[in-house]
PDB file of all heavy atoms in Angstrom:
ATOM      1  N   ASP A   1      10.212  -1.704   5.052  1.00  0.00           N
ATOM      2  CA  ASP A   1       9.533  -0.914   6.071  1.00  0.00           C
ATOM      3  C   ASP A   1       9.480   0.588   5.769  1.00  0.00           C
ATOM      4  O   ASP A   1       8.995   1.352   6.556  1.00  0.00           O
ATOM      5  CB  ASP A   1      10.095  -1.152   7.488  1.00  0.00           C
ATOM      6  CG  ASP A   1      11.484  -0.570   7.692  1.00  0.00           C
ATOM      7  OD1 ASP A   1      12.187  -0.376   6.687  1.00  0.00           O
ATOM      8  OD2 ASP A   1      11.844  -0.269   8.834  1.00  0.00           O
ATOM      9  N   SER A   2       9.988   0.903   4.583  1.00  0.00           N
ATOM     10  CA  SER A   2       9.911   2.320   4.121  1.00  0.00           C
ATOM     11  C   SER A   2       8.696   2.509   3.208  1.00  0.00           C
ATOM     12  O   SER A   2       8.404   3.630   2.725  1.00  0.00           O
ATOM     13  CB  SER A   2      11.181   2.716   3.405  1.00  0.00           C
ATOM     14  OG  SER A   2      11.434   1.916   2.321  1.00  0.00           O
ATOM     15  N   VAL A   3       7.957   1.491   2.984  1.00  0.00           N
ATOM     16  CA  VAL A   3       6.719   1.488   2.139  1.00  0.00           C
ATOM     17  C   VAL A   3       5.579   1.062   2.989  1.00  0.00           C
ATOM     18  O   VAL A   3       5.606  -0.056   3.583  1.00  0.00           O
ATOM     19  CB  VAL A   3       6.849   0.563   0.919  1.00  0.00           C
ATOM     20  CG1 VAL A   3       5.539   0.534   0.153  1.00  0.00           C
ATOM     21  CG2 VAL A   3       8.041   0.899   0.031  1.00  0.00           C
ATOM     22  N   SER A   4       4.602   1.879   3.137  1.00  0.00           N
ATOM     23  CA  SER A   4       3.504   1.593   4.122  1.00  0.00           C
ATOM     24  C   SER A   4       2.628   0.483   3.594  1.00  0.00           C
ATOM     25  O   SER A   4       2.092   0.522   2.473  1.00  0.00           O
ATOM     26  CB  SER A   4       2.718   2.815   4.507  1.00  0.00           C
ATOM     27  OG  SER A   4       1.926   3.227   3.443  1.00  0.00           O
ATOM     28  N   ILE A   5       2.441  -0.485   4.460  1.00  0.00           N
ATOM     29  CA  ILE A   5       1.493  -1.602   4.261  1.00  0.00           C
ATOM     30  C   ILE A   5       0.619  -1.606   5.490  1.00  0.00           C
ATOM     31  O   ILE A   5       1.093  -1.741   6.607  1.00  0.00           O
ATOM     32  CB  ILE A   5       2.226  -2.932   4.083  1.00  0.00           C
ATOM     33  CG1 ILE A   5       3.143  -2.957   2.833  1.00  0.00           C
ATOM     34  CG2 ILE A   5       1.125  -4.110   3.960  1.00  0.00           C
ATOM     35  CD1 ILE A   5       3.958  -4.204   2.679  1.00  0.00           C
ATOM     36  N   LYS A   6      -0.637  -1.356   5.308  1.00  0.00           N
ATOM     37  CA  LYS A   6      -1.565  -1.135   6.452  1.00  0.00           C
ATOM     38  C   LYS A   6      -1.339  -2.140   7.549  1.00  0.00           C
ATOM     39  O   LYS A   6      -1.401  -3.321   7.276  1.00  0.00           O
ATOM     40  CB  LYS A   6      -3.022  -1.074   5.973  1.00  0.00           C
ATOM     41  CG  LYS A   6      -3.991  -0.746   7.057  1.00  0.00           C
ATOM     42  CD  LYS A   6      -5.344  -0.650   6.565  1.00  0.00           C
ATOM     43  CE  LYS A   6      -6.292  -0.302   7.696  1.00  0.00           C
ATOM     44  NZ  LYS A   6      -7.664  -0.138   7.276  1.00  0.00           N
ATOM     45  N   GLY A   7      -1.126  -1.626   8.767  1.00  0.00           N
ATOM     46  CA  GLY A   7      -0.985  -2.501   9.933  1.00  0.00           C
ATOM     47  C   GLY A   7       0.475  -2.970  10.192  1.00  0.00           C
ATOM     48  O   GLY A   7       0.753  -3.516  11.290  1.00  0.00           O
ATOM     49  N   MET A   8       1.353  -2.772   9.224  1.00  0.00           N
ATOM     50  CA  MET A   8       2.719  -3.262   9.344  1.00  0.00           C
ATOM     51  C   MET A   8       3.633  -2.174   9.838  1.00  0.00           C
ATOM     52  O   MET A   8       3.295  -1.000   9.776  1.00  0.00           O
ATOM     53  CB  MET A   8       3.226  -3.744   7.959  1.00  0.00           C
ATOM     54  CG  MET A   8       2.415  -4.863   7.315  1.00  0.00           C
ATOM     55  SD  MET A   8       2.456  -6.435   8.195  1.00  0.00           S
ATOM     56  CE  MET A   8       4.182  -6.898   7.859  1.00  0.00           C
ATOM     57  N   LEU A   9       4.785  -2.586  10.398  1.00  0.00           N
ATOM     58  CA  LEU A   9       5.756  -1.556  10.880  1.00  0.00           C
ATOM     59  C   LEU A   9       6.139  -0.690   9.724  1.00  0.00           C
ATOM     60  O   LEU A   9       6.388  -1.189   8.598  1.00  0.00           O
ATOM     61  CB  LEU A   9       6.952  -2.261  11.487  1.00  0.00           C
ATOM     62  CG  LEU A   9       6.750  -2.957  12.804  1.00  0.00           C
ATOM     63  CD1 LEU A   9       7.978  -3.797  13.283  1.00  0.00           C
ATOM     64  CD2 LEU A   9       6.407  -1.973  13.901  1.00  0.00           C
ATOM     65  N   PHE A  10       6.241   0.615  10.005  1.00  0.00           N
ATOM     66  CA  PHE A  10       6.507   1.627   8.948  1.00  0.00           C
ATOM     67  C   PHE A  10       7.554   2.568   9.526  1.00  0.00           C
ATOM     68  O   PHE A  10       7.258   3.723   9.866  1.00  0.00           O
ATOM     69  CB  PHE A  10       5.208   2.315   8.608  1.00  0.00           C
ATOM     70  CG  PHE A  10       5.312   3.342   7.547  1.00  0.00           C
ATOM     71  CD1 PHE A  10       6.083   3.140   6.432  1.00  0.00           C
ATOM     72  CD2 PHE A  10       4.582   4.511   7.643  1.00  0.00           C
ATOM     73  CE1 PHE A  10       6.127   4.102   5.392  1.00  0.00           C
ATOM     74  CE2 PHE A  10       4.639   5.468   6.643  1.00  0.00           C
ATOM     75  CZ  PHE A  10       5.413   5.265   5.534  1.00  0.00           C
ATOM     76  N   MET A  11       8.778   2.095   9.715  1.00  0.00           N
ATOM     77  CA  MET A  11       9.804   2.821  10.350  1.00  0.00           C
ATOM     78  C   MET A  11      10.839   3.465   9.440  1.00  0.00           C
ATOM     79  O   MET A  11      11.538   4.325   9.907  1.00  0.00           O
ATOM     80  CB  MET A  11      10.531   1.891  11.374  1.00  0.00           C
ATOM     81  CG  MET A  11       9.532   1.296  12.359  1.00  0.00           C
ATOM     82  SD  MET A  11      10.252   0.254  13.620  1.00  0.00           S
ATOM     83  CE  MET A  11      11.161  -0.992  12.695  1.00  0.00           C
ATOM     84  N   ALA A  12      10.884   3.007   8.257  1.00  0.00           N
ATOM     85  CA  ALA A  12      11.818   3.608   7.230  1.00  0.00           C
ATOM     86  C   ALA A  12      13.289   3.577   7.721  1.00  0.00           C
ATOM     87  O   ALA A  12      14.042   4.456   7.372  1.00  0.00           O
ATOM     88  CB  ALA A  12      11.394   5.005   6.868  1.00  0.00           C
ATOM     89  N   GLY A  13      13.629   2.618   8.516  1.00  0.00           N
ATOM     90  CA  GLY A  13      15.030   2.480   9.041  1.00  0.00           C
ATOM     91  C   GLY A  13      15.422   3.582  10.024  1.00  0.00           C
ATOM     92  O   GLY A  13      16.628   3.767  10.252  1.00  0.00           O
ATOM     93  N   CYS A  14      14.444   4.329  10.522  1.00  0.00           N
ATOM     94  CA  CYS A  14      14.753   5.458  11.450  1.00  0.00           C
ATOM     95  C   CYS A  14      14.417   5.074  12.908  1.00  0.00           C
ATOM     96  O   CYS A  14      13.330   4.791  13.184  1.00  0.00           O
ATOM     97  CB  CYS A  14      13.891   6.665  10.997  1.00  0.00           C
ATOM     98  SG  CYS A  14      14.149   8.110  12.014  1.00  0.00           S
ATOM     99  N   PRO A  15      15.477   5.062  13.765  1.00  0.00           N
ATOM    100  CA  PRO A  15      15.205   4.711  15.124  1.00  0.00           C
ATOM    101  C   PRO A  15      14.084   5.507  15.862  1.00  0.00           C
ATOM    102  O   PRO A  15      13.341   4.979  16.704  1.00  0.00           O
ATOM    103  CB  PRO A  15      16.521   4.902  15.817  1.00  0.00           C
ATOM    104  CG  PRO A  15      17.553   4.838  14.750  1.00  0.00           C
ATOM    105  CD  PRO A  15      16.853   5.348  13.491  1.00  0.00           C
ATOM    106  N   ALA A  16      13.938   6.769  15.425  1.00  0.00           N
ATOM    107  CA  ALA A  16      12.887   7.603  16.061  1.00  0.00           C
ATOM    108  C   ALA A  16      11.462   7.148  15.712  1.00  0.00           C
ATOM    109  O   ALA A  16      10.510   7.555  16.366  1.00  0.00           O
ATOM    110  CB  ALA A  16      13.087   9.082  15.618  1.00  0.00           C
ATOM    111  N   ARG A  17      11.336   6.346  14.631  1.00  0.00           N
ATOM    112  CA  ARG A  17      10.072   5.825  14.233  1.00  0.00           C
ATOM    113  C   ARG A  17       9.792   4.396  14.746  1.00  0.00           C
ATOM    114  O   ARG A  17       8.842   3.775  14.335  1.00  0.00           O
ATOM    115  CB  ARG A  17       9.959   5.834  12.702  1.00  0.00           C
ATOM    116  CG  ARG A  17       9.942   7.241  12.110  1.00  0.00           C
ATOM    117  CD  ARG A  17       9.857   7.183  10.619  1.00  0.00           C
ATOM    118  NE  ARG A  17       8.659   6.457  10.138  1.00  0.00           N
ATOM    119  CZ  ARG A  17       7.435   6.943  10.021  1.00  0.00           C
ATOM    120  NH1 ARG A  17       7.167   8.197  10.303  1.00  0.00           N
ATOM    121  NH2 ARG A  17       6.457   6.156   9.556  1.00  0.00           N
ATOM    122  N   LYS A  18      10.620   3.921  15.641  1.00  0.00           N
ATOM    123  CA  LYS A  18      10.482   2.588  16.175  1.00  0.00           C
ATOM    124  C   LYS A  18       9.031   2.308  16.680  1.00  0.00           C
ATOM    125  O   LYS A  18       8.480   3.095  17.430  1.00  0.00           O
ATOM    126  CB  LYS A  18      11.453   2.354  17.307  1.00  0.00           C
ATOM    127  CG  LYS A  18      11.428   0.922  17.823  1.00  0.00           C
ATOM    128  CD  LYS A  18      12.489   0.705  18.926  1.00  0.00           C
ATOM    129  CE  LYS A  18      12.416  -0.791  19.359  1.00  0.00           C
ATOM    130  NZ  LYS A  18      13.372  -1.086  20.359  1.00  0.00           N
ATOM    131  N   GLY A  19       8.483   1.187  16.150  1.00  0.00           N
ATOM    132  CA  GLY A  19       7.141   0.746  16.601  1.00  0.00           C
ATOM    133  C   GLY A  19       5.982   1.413  15.888  1.00  0.00           C
ATOM    134  O   GLY A  19       4.837   1.048  16.066  1.00  0.00           O
ATOM    135  N   ILE A  20       6.246   2.343  14.963  1.00  0.00           N
ATOM    136  CA  ILE A  20       5.169   2.984  14.249  1.00  0.00           C
ATOM    137  C   ILE A  20       4.656   2.044  13.152  1.00  0.00           C
ATOM    138  O   ILE A  20       5.415   1.448  12.479  1.00  0.00           O
ATOM    139  CB  ILE A  20       5.649   4.289  13.578  1.00  0.00           C
ATOM    140  CG1 ILE A  20       5.934   5.333  14.712  1.00  0.00           C
ATOM    141  CG2 ILE A  20       4.637   4.885  12.610  1.00  0.00           C
ATOM    142  CD1 ILE A  20       6.505   6.654  14.224  1.00  0.00           C
ATOM    143  N   ARG A  21       3.299   1.986  13.085  1.00  0.00           N
ATOM    144  CA  ARG A  21       2.652   1.100  12.139  1.00  0.00           C
ATOM    145  C   ARG A  21       1.893   1.969  11.117  1.00  0.00           C
ATOM    146  O   ARG A  21       1.330   3.035  11.427  1.00  0.00           O
ATOM    147  CB  ARG A  21       1.671   0.116  12.843  1.00  0.00           C
ATOM    148  CG  ARG A  21       2.450  -0.802  13.704  1.00  0.00           C
ATOM    149  CD  ARG A  21       1.592  -1.985  14.158  1.00  0.00           C
ATOM    150  NE  ARG A  21       2.404  -2.952  14.843  1.00  0.00           N
ATOM    151  CZ  ARG A  21       3.065  -3.933  14.293  1.00  0.00           C
ATOM    152  NH1 ARG A  21       3.001  -4.099  12.999  1.00  0.00           N
ATOM    153  NH2 ARG A  21       3.848  -4.731  14.993  1.00  0.00           N
ATOM    154  N   ALA A  22       1.889   1.475   9.895  1.00  0.00           N
ATOM    155  CA  ALA A  22       1.160   2.128   8.830  1.00  0.00           C
ATOM    156  C   ALA A  22      -0.314   2.113   9.034  1.00  0.00           C
ATOM    157  O   ALA A  22      -0.861   1.089   9.429  1.00  0.00           O
ATOM    158  CB  ALA A  22       1.489   1.544   7.468  1.00  0.00           C
ATOM    159  N   THR A  23      -0.972   3.238   8.776  1.00  0.00           N
ATOM    160  CA  THR A  23      -2.442   3.310   8.909  1.00  0.00           C
ATOM    161  C   THR A  23      -3.121   3.091   7.565  1.00  0.00           C
ATOM    162  O   THR A  23      -4.364   2.885   7.549  1.00  0.00           O
ATOM    163  CB  THR A  23      -2.859   4.693   9.481  1.00  0.00           C
ATOM    164  OG1 THR A  23      -2.376   5.678   8.581  1.00  0.00           O
ATOM    165  CG2 THR A  23      -2.304   4.874  10.909  1.00  0.00           C
ATOM    166  N   LYS A  24      -2.419   3.063   6.509  1.00  0.00           N
ATOM    167  CA  LYS A  24      -2.983   2.792   5.220  1.00  0.00           C
ATOM    168  C   LYS A  24      -1.888   2.254   4.322  1.00  0.00           C
ATOM    169  O   LYS A  24      -0.679   2.384   4.629  1.00  0.00           O
ATOM    170  CB  LYS A  24      -3.585   4.051   4.597  1.00  0.00           C
ATOM    171  CG  LYS A  24      -2.649   5.166   4.301  1.00  0.00           C
ATOM    172  CD  LYS A  24      -3.379   6.324   3.692  1.00  0.00           C
ATOM    173  CE  LYS A  24      -2.333   7.422   3.300  1.00  0.00           C
ATOM    174  NZ  LYS A  24      -2.984   8.537   2.601  1.00  0.00           N
ATOM    175  N   ASP A  25      -2.249   1.732   3.167  1.00  0.00           N
ATOM    176  CA  ASP A  25      -1.299   1.253   2.179  1.00  0.00           C
ATOM    177  C   ASP A  25      -0.747   2.421   1.396  1.00  0.00           C
ATOM    178  O   ASP A  25      -1.473   3.322   1.009  1.00  0.00           O
ATOM    179  CB  ASP A  25      -1.976   0.282   1.182  1.00  0.00           C
ATOM    180  CG  ASP A  25      -2.281  -1.072   1.815  1.00  0.00           C
ATOM    181  OD1 ASP A  25      -1.647  -1.443   2.771  1.00  0.00           O
ATOM    182  OD2 ASP A  25      -3.192  -1.798   1.239  1.00  0.00           O
ATOM    183  N   ALA A  26       0.571   2.295   1.030  1.00  0.00           N
ATOM    184  CA  ALA A  26       1.141   3.235   0.072  1.00  0.00           C
ATOM    185  C   ALA A  26       0.503   2.941  -1.291  1.00  0.00           C
ATOM    186  O   ALA A  26      -0.041   1.823  -1.523  1.00  0.00           O
ATOM    187  CB  ALA A  26       2.613   2.949  -0.076  1.00  0.00           C
ATOM    188  N   PRO A  27       0.481   3.884  -2.216  1.00  0.00           N
ATOM    189  CA  PRO A  27      -0.195   3.655  -3.545  1.00  0.00           C
ATOM    190  C   PRO A  27       0.366   2.363  -4.210  1.00  0.00           C
ATOM    191  O   PRO A  27      -0.417   1.672  -4.827  1.00  0.00           O
ATOM    192  CB  PRO A  27       0.207   4.900  -4.350  1.00  0.00           C
ATOM    193  CG  PRO A  27       0.315   5.973  -3.260  1.00  0.00           C
ATOM    194  CD  PRO A  27       0.921   5.312  -2.079  1.00  0.00           C
ATOM    195  N   VAL A  28       1.657   2.119  -4.138  1.00  0.00           N
ATOM    196  CA  VAL A  28       2.163   0.916  -4.785  1.00  0.00           C
ATOM    197  C   VAL A  28       1.608  -0.341  -4.178  1.00  0.00           C
ATOM    198  O   VAL A  28       1.314  -1.285  -4.895  1.00  0.00           O
ATOM    199  CB  VAL A  28       3.729   0.915  -4.772  1.00  0.00           C
ATOM    200  CG1 VAL A  28       4.308   0.749  -3.380  1.00  0.00           C
ATOM    201  CG2 VAL A  28       4.297  -0.220  -5.672  1.00  0.00           C
ATOM    202  N   CYS A  29       1.491  -0.385  -2.860  1.00  0.00           N
ATOM    203  CA  CYS A  29       0.903  -1.491  -2.188  1.00  0.00           C
ATOM    204  C   CYS A  29      -0.563  -1.646  -2.495  1.00  0.00           C
ATOM    205  O   CYS A  29      -1.038  -2.752  -2.746  1.00  0.00           O
ATOM    206  CB  CYS A  29       1.161  -1.461  -0.677  1.00  0.00           C
ATOM    207  SG  CYS A  29       0.461  -2.831   0.250  1.00  0.00           S
ATOM    208  N   GLU A  30      -1.256  -0.561  -2.574  1.00  0.00           N
ATOM    209  CA  GLU A  30      -2.665  -0.532  -2.914  1.00  0.00           C
ATOM    210  C   GLU A  30      -2.893  -1.155  -4.335  1.00  0.00           C
ATOM    211  O   GLU A  30      -3.758  -1.982  -4.569  1.00  0.00           O
ATOM    212  CB  GLU A  30      -3.248   0.839  -2.864  1.00  0.00           C
ATOM    213  CG  GLU A  30      -4.725   0.959  -3.147  1.00  0.00           C
ATOM    214  CD  GLU A  30      -5.242   2.352  -2.978  1.00  0.00           C
ATOM    215  OE1 GLU A  30      -4.502   3.287  -2.613  1.00  0.00           O
ATOM    216  OE2 GLU A  30      -6.422   2.564  -3.285  1.00  0.00           O
ATOM    217  N   ARG A  31      -2.023  -0.727  -5.229  1.00  0.00           N
ATOM    218  CA  ARG A  31      -2.067  -1.247  -6.594  1.00  0.00           C
ATOM    219  C   ARG A  31      -1.806  -2.779  -6.675  1.00  0.00           C
ATOM    220  O   ARG A  31      -2.431  -3.484  -7.405  1.00  0.00           O
ATOM    221  CB  ARG A  31      -1.159  -0.488  -7.495  1.00  0.00           C
ATOM    222  CG  ARG A  31      -1.584   0.892  -7.769  1.00  0.00           C
ATOM    223  CD  ARG A  31      -0.657   1.649  -8.750  1.00  0.00           C
ATOM    224  NE  ARG A  31      -0.977   3.008  -8.847  1.00  0.00           N
ATOM    225  CZ  ARG A  31      -0.365   4.051  -8.390  1.00  0.00           C
ATOM    226  NH1 ARG A  31       0.867   3.822  -7.808  1.00  0.00           N
ATOM    227  NH2 ARG A  31      -0.798   5.273  -8.485  1.00  0.00           N
ATOM    228  N   MET A  32      -0.783  -3.183  -5.858  1.00  0.00           N
ATOM    229  CA  MET A  32      -0.493  -4.587  -5.792  1.00  0.00           C
ATOM    230  C   MET A  32      -1.675  -5.368  -5.238  1.00  0.00           C
ATOM    231  O   MET A  32      -2.044  -6.440  -5.861  1.00  0.00           O
ATOM    232  CB  MET A  32       0.741  -4.884  -4.910  1.00  0.00           C
ATOM    233  CG  MET A  32       2.027  -4.290  -5.402  1.00  0.00           C
ATOM    234  SD  MET A  32       2.764  -5.292  -6.652  1.00  0.00           S
ATOM    235  CE  MET A  32       3.380  -6.635  -5.684  1.00  0.00           C
ATOM    236  N   ARG A  33      -2.310  -4.919  -4.235  1.00  0.00           N
ATOM    237  CA  ARG A  33      -3.515  -5.608  -3.640  1.00  0.00           C
ATOM    238  C   ARG A  33      -4.631  -5.616  -4.720  1.00  0.00           C
ATOM    239  O   ARG A  33      -5.304  -6.635  -4.851  1.00  0.00           O
ATOM    240  CB  ARG A  33      -3.973  -4.905  -2.395  1.00  0.00           C
ATOM    241  CG  ARG A  33      -3.127  -5.209  -1.196  1.00  0.00           C
ATOM    242  CD  ARG A  33      -3.860  -4.743   0.062  1.00  0.00           C
ATOM    243  NE  ARG A  33      -3.012  -4.401   1.159  1.00  0.00           N
ATOM    244  CZ  ARG A  33      -3.076  -5.053   2.323  1.00  0.00           C
ATOM    245  NH1 ARG A  33      -3.972  -6.023   2.492  1.00  0.00           N
ATOM    246  NH2 ARG A  33      -2.320  -4.681   3.347  1.00  0.00           N
ATOM    247  N   ASN A  34      -4.878  -4.500  -5.402  1.00  0.00           N
ATOM    248  CA  ASN A  34      -5.868  -4.409  -6.399  1.00  0.00           C
ATOM    249  C   ASN A  34      -5.670  -5.396  -7.542  1.00  0.00           C
ATOM    250  O   ASN A  34      -6.607  -5.835  -8.194  1.00  0.00           O
ATOM    251  CB  ASN A  34      -6.070  -2.989  -6.915  1.00  0.00           C
ATOM    252  CG  ASN A  34      -6.704  -2.079  -5.864  1.00  0.00           C
ATOM    253  OD1 ASN A  34      -7.352  -2.560  -4.918  1.00  0.00           O
ATOM    254  ND2 ASN A  34      -6.536  -0.791  -6.075  1.00  0.00           N
ATOM    255  N   ALA A  35      -4.380  -5.668  -7.789  1.00  0.00           N
ATOM    256  CA  ALA A  35      -3.988  -6.619  -8.813  1.00  0.00           C
ATOM    257  C   ALA A  35      -4.133  -8.061  -8.330  1.00  0.00           C
ATOM    258  O   ALA A  35      -3.853  -9.023  -9.059  1.00  0.00           O
ATOM    259  CB  ALA A  35      -2.567  -6.325  -9.322  1.00  0.00           C
ATOM    260  N   GLY A  36      -4.451  -8.228  -7.020  1.00  0.00           N
ATOM    261  CA  GLY A  36      -4.667  -9.571  -6.470  1.00  0.00           C
ATOM    262  C   GLY A  36      -3.569 -10.111  -5.620  1.00  0.00           C
ATOM    263  O   GLY A  36      -3.636 -11.198  -5.108  1.00  0.00           O
TER     264      GLY A  36
END
């Protein structure tokens, strides 16, 4: 949850970020998706 995946919880283990969802993919996730 410390790596943004669009639409998924993106809290980075921080209670203050509870319920926050990623609005876009992190570069690593984008590359994984582009690789299929």
Side-chain angles (χ1 to χ4, degrees):
D1 71 333
S2 58
V3 177
S4 71
I5 299 174
K6 186 177 180 177
M8 302 290 292
L9 289 173
F10 183 40
M11 302 183 302
C14 180
R17 293 182 55 85
K18 184 176 182 178
I20 292 178
R21 294 193 173 273
T23 57
K24 64 180 185 174
D25 287 337
V28 66
C29 182
E30 184 179 354
R31 288 183 188 111
M32 294 281 287
R33 285 191 204 243
N34 289 341

